[in-house]
Amino acid sequence: MKKRILIIGASGQIGTELTARLRKLYGNHKVVATDIRESDSTIVSEGPFEILDAMDSEAIQDVVIQYEITEIYLMAAMLSATAEKFPMKAWNLNMTSLFNVLQLAKENKIKKVFWPSSIAVFGPTTPPINTPQNTIMEPSTVYGISKQAGERWCEYYFNRYGVDVRSIRYPGLISYTTQPGGGTTDYAVDIYHKALKHKKYISFLSAKTTLPMMYMDDAIKATIGIMEAPKESIKIRNSYNLSAMSFNPEEVSESIKKHIPEFEIDYKLDFRQKIADTWPQSINDDQARKDWGWKHKFSLDEMTQIMLDNLR
Ligand code: SER
């Protein structure tokens, strides 16, 4: 069967870059980008684009049939900080969109699903350093609860219906093309924009709040990597731990100062500090490395260089 990919949430931070990379790999017309809103980026002009609501199962099915879709990357979600403001809306969006896609796979209308989980599945009782693949998971945010429930459902659909769903737990993701929206790790993107514009950043997380992070290129590589891996090598059907680096606001500001010596960081904590305090500082991803050959590439200083060069 010929591969035809549908991306739901293609205008978002990950979706934008994932669409571009998949189109490069498989051809523009093989990758259908969809989002609830139109965007001005090249994803609309360079290949098929449709307005699509991830909550609307019939509309998703129509697009699947129209374009003869074989696999779906579901990238639409409400992130941690926004979800705390709209708990029920976040729960509805994050769960309904997943069920819509799992159901299509169960009915054999598509062959493969990618669904992202997050470090937010972990909670205050999880061992925070080198967090194991299998460990205590008591998330205390709406976003985390939705990701944990989603993981259980993915595994359930695999075990019960044989749905080929694959997932990774993304750390905070940093990129220069599209800004993230509504996450707790968003500071690590914004800080580069403000460093260039104002030579100053006011961080909503404290200096020593260390979180797992990753440069977007690595995240895209992992996403396509797990989807391209042979089915038998995917041993975990809830979600894989994934790791590249860990840093805190002070460390990223030191990294920026190597390029912009007059850069200053200040701290004014808000409600997102409480969310970050419940997440791990570093992640053990041995299983992903062993099962499907995951390898990260970018370090903090390499990423800083790329971010500043491209945002300039
Ligand atoms: N980056 C996400 C957030 O901050 C975590 O998955 O919400």
Side-chain angles (χ1 to χ4, degrees):
M1 190 170 208
K2 285 176 285 151
K3 190 196 280 291
R4 276 204 177 223
I5 297 167
L6 171 62
I7 301 177
I8 301 176
S11 303
Q13 190 202 7
I14 309 171
T16 305
E17 303 212 18
L18 184 63
T19 304
R21 192 72 54 87
L22 287 169
R23 281 184 175 162
K24 225 183 202 154
L25 271 174
Y26 302 116
N28 287 357
H29 62 288
K30 299 267 192 197
V31 181
V32 182
T34 68
D35 204 284
I36 192 143
R37 61 198 155 90
E38 185 91 41
S39 92
D40 49 11
S41 82
T42 49
I43 60 159
V44 178
S45 53
E46 283 182 345
F49 178 87
E50 300 278 346
I51 297 284
L52 184 64
D53 180 354
M55 303 275 281
D56 187 341
S57 63
E58 267 178 47
I60 300 175
Q61 180 165 314
D62 288 347
V63 173
V64 163
I65 292 167
Q66 185 192 340
Y67 289 95
E68 297 173 18
I69 297 297
T70 57
E71 47 194 83
I72 296 182
Y73 290 72
L74 174 55
M75 312 312 286
M78 197 185 286
L79 294 189
S80 59
T82 314
E84 289 309 296
K85 293 183 184 154
F86 309 104
M88 280 332 280
K89 217 174 149 188
W91 174 258
N92 285 336
L93 170 63
N94 294 358
M95 300 314 295
T96 305
S97 57
L98 175 59
F99 282 123
N100 286 346
V101 170
L102 289 177
Q103 204 56 26
L104 282 173
K106 179 191 164 195
E107 291 162 7
N108 228 353
K109 295 189 172 103
I110 50 168
K111 300 285 166 228
K112 226 193 266 186
V113 175
F114 178 82
W115 175 79
S117 185
S118 157
I119 53 164
V121 281
F122 300 116
T125 51
T126 301
I129 313 274
N130 202 26
T131 300
Q133 173 69 43
N134 297 306
T135 186
I136 302 167
M137 293 164 97
E138 297 181 317
S140 54
T141 63
V142 177
Y143 178 67
I145 296 169
S146 76
K147 288 299 180 189
Q148 189 192 33
E151 286 193 6
R152 302 317 315 144
W153 279 109
C154 285
E155 194 186 83
Y156 183 88
Y157 268 71
F158 172 77
N159 285 335
R160 175 114 194 243
Y161 308 117
V163 166
D164 188 1
V165 52
R166 304 170 182 209
S167 178
I168 51 195
R169 294 170 179 153
Y170 288 134
L173 299 181
I174 295 108
S175 60
Y176 58 84
T177 326
T178 313
Q179 294 244 35
T184 301
T185 57
D186 294 8
Y187 91 86
V189 177
D190 201 30
I191 195 168
Y192 291 105
H193 289 263
K194 298 282 160 50
L196 288 167
K197 234 182 169 171
H198 308 303
K199 313 223 175 312
K200 188 176 166 83
Y201 182 67
I202 300 178
S203 172
F204 56 78
L205 296 184
S206 73
K208 304 283 187 208
T209 303
T210 300
L211 290 171
M213 298 279 185
M214 183 177 285
Y215 180 55
M216 185 62 82
D217 269 38
D218 274 339
I220 300 295
K221 187 171 83 172
T223 306
I224 298 174
I226 193 173
M227 283 295 271
E228 289 305 291
K231 202 171 171 181
E232 322 75 66
S233 65
I234 308 299
K235 311 267 191 245
I236 289 178
R237 291 294 179 162
N238 52 340
S239 191
Y240 277 95
N241 276 7
L242 195 71
S243 156
M245 56 178 128
S246 286
F247 59 75
N248 60 40
E250 187 173 276
E251 285 161 342
V252 63
S253 91
E254 288 308 314
S255 177
I256 290 173
K257 275 187 199 159
K258 291 177 191 165
H259 303 264
I260 308 172
E262 59 288 25
F263 177 70
E264 277 174 48
I265 184 162
D266 229 324
Y267 300 92
K268 197 173 166 224
L269 313 190
D270 70 17
F271 72 104
R272 288 170 280 192
Q273 181 65 47
K274 271 206 183 128
I275 300 177
D277 286 342
T278 70
W279 291 352
Q281 295 176 33
S282 59
I283 300 286
N284 182 307
D285 64 354
D286 289 351
Q287 186 94 32
R289 290 174 194 263
K290 190 173 108 218
D291 287 0
W292 45 276
W294 155 243
K295 242 195 265 151
H296 77 280
K297 182 166 168 219
F298 294 92
S299 65
L300 174 56
D301 283 335
E302 287 166 328
M303 180 176 81
T304 296
Q305 173 97 54
I306 297 169
M307 288 297 287
L308 294 176
D309 285 352
N310 284 281
L311 289 174
R312 264 188 195 116

